[in-house]
Amino acid sequence: MTYRLWYIITWPSAILTGIFAFWMLFFTDIGKAWLLMPWMRVKLVFVLLLYLYHFKCHQMYLQLQKGEVKHTSNFMRLWNEGATLILFAVVFLVIQKNAVNWIYGVLGIFIFSITIMLGFKIYKRIRELNSEQ
């Protein structure tokens, strides 16, 4: 099932999305206009981060298929939130591109990320304390 999910859904979706996005940005007038806007450049950085995240997930997938477990379950839980944060940033930048200064939006995303990580650490400590009792 993981093989089908990864190679039949995830990879083709990532490749097709990249092709269509490239086509839209460089071969349409509106795409060329968007490239001149600062929010779009920031969004493309987040999209690049999402592709890097995808490649790292593929590396981890291959390791798990070989039976190599290099990360703890806590790391994997935190890692799972990475894509959510990046996708949230991409959507936020598109929706709020002109409503608020995108710099404040990016700072808000980082603060949100730090808050989630701190919440995770606190939850982990609470679980450890409860398991000791």
Side-chain angles (χ1 to χ4, degrees):
M1 187 66 176
T2 56
Y3 177 87
R4 282 186 274 170
L5 177 66
W6 194 250
Y7 289 106
I8 297 174
I9 296 173
T10 307
W11 268 110
S13 298
I15 292 168
L16 288 172
T17 301
I19 290 169
F20 291 133
F22 183 81
W23 183 321
M24 185 182 73
L25 286 174
F26 293 104
F27 296 116
T28 64
D29 292 335
I30 194 159
K32 292 174 185 173
W34 280 345
L35 283 174
L36 299 174
M37 298 179 186
W39 68 267
M40 178 56 89
R41 293 185 195 136
V42 175
K43 177 190 167 194
L44 290 174
V45 169
F46 280 112
V47 170
L48 177 66
L49 285 174
L50 190 60
Y51 273 99
L52 292 173
Y53 178 88
H54 183 78
F55 291 128
K56 182 62 180 172
C57 284
H58 185 74
Q59 184 183 38
M60 294 163 93
Y61 167 78
L62 292 175
Q63 289 170 351
L64 289 170
Q65 293 305 307
K66 294 177 189 173
E68 299 173 13
V69 179
K70 295 184 176 183
H71 304 288
T72 65
S73 63
N74 287 329
F75 173 84
M76 295 303 262
R77 284 186 189 122
L78 258 177
W79 181 257
N80 184 46
E81 301 305 321
T84 304
L85 293 172
I86 296 170
L87 289 169
F88 178 79
V90 169
V91 171
F92 178 82
L93 281 167
V94 172
I95 293 173
Q96 300 294 325
K97 61 186 167 215
N98 294 325
V100 294
N101 190 338
W102 59 267
I103 293 173
Y104 294 122
V106 171
L107 287 174
I109 290 165
F110 284 119
I111 291 169
F112 180 67
S113 303
I114 291 168
T115 304
I116 286 177
M117 285 185 223
L118 288 174
F120 178 79
K121 294 278 188 187
I122 291 168
Y123 175 71
K124 182 180 172 186
R125 281 211 178 117
I126 291 171
R127 276 187 29 204
E128 289 172 354
L129 289 174
N130 287 339
S131 68
E132 290 175 4
Q133 295 176 352

